[in-house]
Amino acid sequence: MGEDYRQLLEHCTLCPRRCGADRLRGETGYCGAGAAVRAGRAALHFWEEPCLSGDRGSGAVFFSGCTLGCVFCQNYQISADGQGVEVTVPQLAESFLSLQQQGAHNLNLVTATHYLPQVIAALDLAKSRGLALPVVYNCGGYERRETLRMLAGYVDIYLPDCKYLDAQLAARYSGAPDYPQVVREALDEMFLQVGEPVFDDCGMMRRGMIVRHLLLPGCEADSRAVLRYLYGRFGDSVYLSIMNQYTPLPRVRVRWPELGRCITAAEYERVIDYALELGIENAFVQEGGTVSESFIPDFSGQGLAR
Ligand code: SF4
């Protein structure tokens, strides 16, 4: 892709917001991203699904800014508050290679869409220097099909969210009433690119798609709709990860009081029972309580090449 990628930042339409920010002239769009890549952390990460984290960890690179901006985001320090450090394309490539040297099972790009041209350039550079890890694209599911097509051949495992299928919820919590339509098309494109799941002899995923759904308080009906849709569309050809660790942050309780509590065990069990009733077999479910704020990692630039 070379330096051509910079043209894509001139009138940016990378994500469904299509806000047209001229990022090369210092403007930032809805996502908060300018011309330079900002990232919060590049480190081995042990809290993904077991077939991604394994025993050595997933090599996660957390990018700053976000095209979606969910009010309940657990990573708000980098998604909304702009924490992180600027890195060049060569530094990003070096960070990828460092994760491989540390033994990561895969390279896990977390919320990278608004930097996609630079990320592809960094992948090209890292591959030319020996990067051979499966590439995981870990995203919110709010992706343009045209932009995803740029990733064909680069991504081995898609790890998107399917947050809602109710436009009112998507509008209220993510400012994106078009999310349900957008995510349906995005998931189709992702599946087209990676297809059926493939695992190695140790049970680590090498290719395929895992769709995550985080239960939110009071949104059980939509969770059922999400599971029904995903299973109807993809059957057991994709894995579903049904997550219960929603944690109400103080900043959320004031404006969205209905989000001011955790998911109850009974709510989670009902949704899991529904998944079983549907016949879903390929699912990751969670045991135990919610994740506390102390699990939020340090996003001050740890592990990024400088
Ligand atoms: S990626 Fe950012 S700048 Fe580009 S269209 Fe989306 S919100 Fe706007």
Side-chain angles (χ1 to χ4, degrees):
M1 185 170 287
E3 285 295 301
D4 291 345
Y5 72 78
R6 293 185 65 83
Q7 289 173 1
L8 292 165
L9 306 179
E10 202 173 358
H11 177 80
C12 185
T13 58
L14 283 170
C15 84
R17 305 277 180 199
R18 286 190 264 191
C19 68
D22 186 347
R23 295 168 55 180
L24 297 183
R25 287 182 181 267
E27 289 179 19
T28 53
Y30 180 99
C31 61
V37 175
R38 285 182 71 81
R41 179 182 176 87
L44 297 176
H45 194 62
F46 293 88
W47 296 275
E48 308 292 19
E49 287 71 6
C51 63
L52 298 177
S53 289
D55 52 5
R56 300 197 306 270
S58 175
V61 181
F62 290 86
F63 292 90
S64 306
C66 182
T67 60
L68 207 44
C70 307
V71 301
F72 51 83
C73 182
Q74 306 289 296
N75 291 343
Y76 63 88
Q77 297 100 326
I78 50 168
S79 65
D81 293 354
Q83 273 189 23
V85 295
E86 283 191 10
V87 286
T88 63
V89 165
Q91 286 169 337
L92 200 50
E94 204 177 311
S95 303
F96 297 168
L97 289 166
S98 169
L99 289 166
Q100 178 168 271
Q101 284 160 5
Q102 291 170 51
H105 288 287
N106 44 59
L107 174 64
N108 181 356
L109 305 171
V110 186
T111 317
T113 299
H114 41 297
Y115 298 120
L116 189 134
Q118 300 99 314
V119 166
I120 288 178
L123 284 171
D124 281 335
L125 186 55
K127 284 182 177 187
S128 75
R129 294 191 194 157
L131 181 74
L133 295 175
V135 174
V136 180
Y137 201 72
N138 184 339
C139 64
Y142 192 56
E143 317 292 327
R144 290 185 67 197
R145 190 185 281 262
E146 296 82 350
T147 303
L148 286 172
R149 283 187 181 133
M150 292 165 58
L151 287 167
Y154 286 95
V155 171
D156 301 286
I157 299 166
Y158 276 107
L159 182 60
D161 295 326
C162 184
K163 294 175 185 287
Y164 341 82
L165 286 181
D166 179 315
Q168 287 185 337
L169 292 178
R172 179 163 173 78
Y173 298 141
S174 299
D178 59 341
Y179 182 91
Q181 181 59 32
V182 167
V183 75
R184 283 186 180 98
E185 289 179 19
L187 295 177
D188 282 355
E189 174 62 28
M190 292 176 195
F191 185 68
L192 198 65
Q193 289 182 24
V194 296
E196 300 282 331
V198 177
F199 295 88
D200 68 15
D201 293 343
C202 301
M204 299 303 296
M205 190 176 247
R206 302 290 301 186
R207 196 169 177 83
M209 184 153 109
I210 302 172
V211 183
R212 287 174 164 172
H213 176 69
L214 175 70
L215 271 67
L216 293 173
C219 300
E220 199 175 320
D222 195 50
S223 291
R224 288 170 184 247
V226 166
L227 296 181
R228 203 161 52 239
Y229 173 74
L230 292 173
Y231 192 61
R233 185 75 179 165
F234 301 108
D236 284 315
S237 295
V238 306
Y239 276 74
L240 305 185
S241 186
I242 307 170
M243 307 168 80
N244 69 349
Q245 76 264 42
Y246 170 73
T247 307
L249 299 171
R251 57 164 58 191
V252 173
R253 291 178 199 266
V254 179
R255 282 186 60 193
W256 297 275
E258 73 276 19
L259 292 181
R261 66 169 177 86
C262 295
I263 295 296
T264 66
E267 280 173 312
Y268 189 59
E269 274 173 33
R270 282 197 299 270
V271 171
I272 297 302
D273 285 346
Y274 185 68
L276 293 172
E277 275 172 37
L278 288 171
I280 295 173
E281 290 188 1
N282 290 343
F284 296 100
V285 299
Q286 292 176 311
E287 307 288 340
T290 55
V291 175
S292 75
E293 282 183 60
S294 62
F295 276 68
I296 296 173
D298 170 11
F299 291 123
S300 59
Q302 185 196 352
L304 287 154
R306 309 296 297 282

